[in-house]
Amino acid sequence: MPKASDVKKGTAIDFNGRVLVVKDIVRSVPQGRAGGSLYRMRLYDVVTGSKVDETFKDSDMLTLADLTRREVMLSYVDGDEYVFMDNEDYTPYNLNKDAIAEEIQFVNEETQGVHVIVIDGAPVGLDLPSSVELVVEETDPSIKGASASARSKPARMSTGLNISVPEHISTGDRIRINTVEHKFMGRAEK
């Protein structure tokens, strides 16, 4: 049983008889001497998809839910359903677009290291690698002689994700993106 301070995004907890996946965590330190940090967590019920906001003290003990992570690749899109294929046994996992709206911006058919979170045999979400490689689909023309530390400009990836990139990046470049901070990390190795 981890303490609230040890829980990370994407963790599934068993709370009040419901399995909830942590989508966001905001840490706050109340003024005053006594007490530690508070962790305000945005949670999603894996069965109903409903949103739950809870606040925990850093020392509160949370119960982890029984879940597995399976490495998958995006296979195809069918309307609002994204179908992922298990890399080992080829089991298909269907996830609704709304359940993975933020994560799917980082995923295409080539993305490696993506895991589907499975609870009681049902897929409930995606666990992304710390960085992904995507192709810049649209950005302003690159400026010759621009340094890597110069000003940035907006760029749209092939998945629809929008991030800021340095001026020397061009349309068609393959770049690495930090999935936690939504930031440009550099050009991808060829």
Side-chain angles (χ1 to χ4, degrees):
M1 285 180 48
K3 290 193 274 190
S5 58
D6 297 331
V7 171
K8 306 263 187 277
K9 275 187 186 181
T11 303
I13 61 171
D14 199 331
F15 185 71
N16 290 343
R18 297 162 70 185
V19 176
L20 304 170
V21 175
V22 178
K23 284 287 189 178
D24 198 27
I25 302 171
V26 176
R27 179 178 175 255
S28 62
V29 182
Q31 296 297 318
R33 292 179 166 277
S37 302
L38 294 176
Y39 292 85
R40 183 166 176 76
M41 297 184 189
R42 171 145 295 165
L43 308 156
Y44 284 87
D45 186 309
V46 299
V47 177
T48 66
S50 62
K51 180 173 61 174
V52 181
D53 288 328
E54 290 288 341
T55 303
F56 301 98
K57 293 181 194 149
D58 57 0
S59 59
D60 286 350
M61 300 303 279
L62 302 175
T63 305
L64 293 178
D66 183 25
L67 63 79
T68 55
R69 283 179 163 77
R70 302 290 301 175
E71 189 165 351
V72 294
M73 295 287 283
L74 177 60
S75 186
Y76 62 93
V77 181
D78 183 13
D80 284 347
E81 294 285 313
Y82 284 80
V83 181
F84 293 85
M85 197 68 68
D86 190 301
N87 289 356
E88 287 180 24
D89 63 12
Y90 305 109
T91 301
Y93 295 105
N94 291 35
L95 287 161
N96 188 284
K97 178 175 72 173
D98 296 336
I100 56 170
E102 186 175 323
E103 294 87 352
I104 201 62
Q105 298 179 90
F106 295 98
V107 179
N108 62 23
E109 290 83 359
E110 300 169 4
T111 308
Q112 301 287 321
V114 177
H115 290 80
V116 69
I117 300 167
V118 182
I119 298 175
D120 296 331
V124 297
L126 290 179
D127 192 17
L128 297 174
S130 59
S131 69
V132 295
E133 292 183 5
L134 293 173
V135 173
V136 177
E137 188 169 80
E138 183 182 327
T139 190
D140 293 336
S142 64
I143 297 172
K144 288 211 184 303
S147 70
S149 62
R151 295 183 307 272
S152 61
K153 60 184 179 180
R156 185 167 47 84
M157 303 300 110
S158 53
T159 60
L161 175 69
N162 291 303
I163 66 164
S164 290
V165 298
E167 290 181 327
H168 68 277
I169 297 297
S170 306
T171 298
D173 284 354
R174 188 174 192 76
I175 62 171
R176 283 184 300 117
I177 302 166
N178 180 311
T179 58
V180 176
E181 298 175 2
H182 298 219
K183 289 191 175 161
F184 171 83
M185 294 173 64
R187 278 199 170 108
E189 300 294 321
K190 291 206 177 351

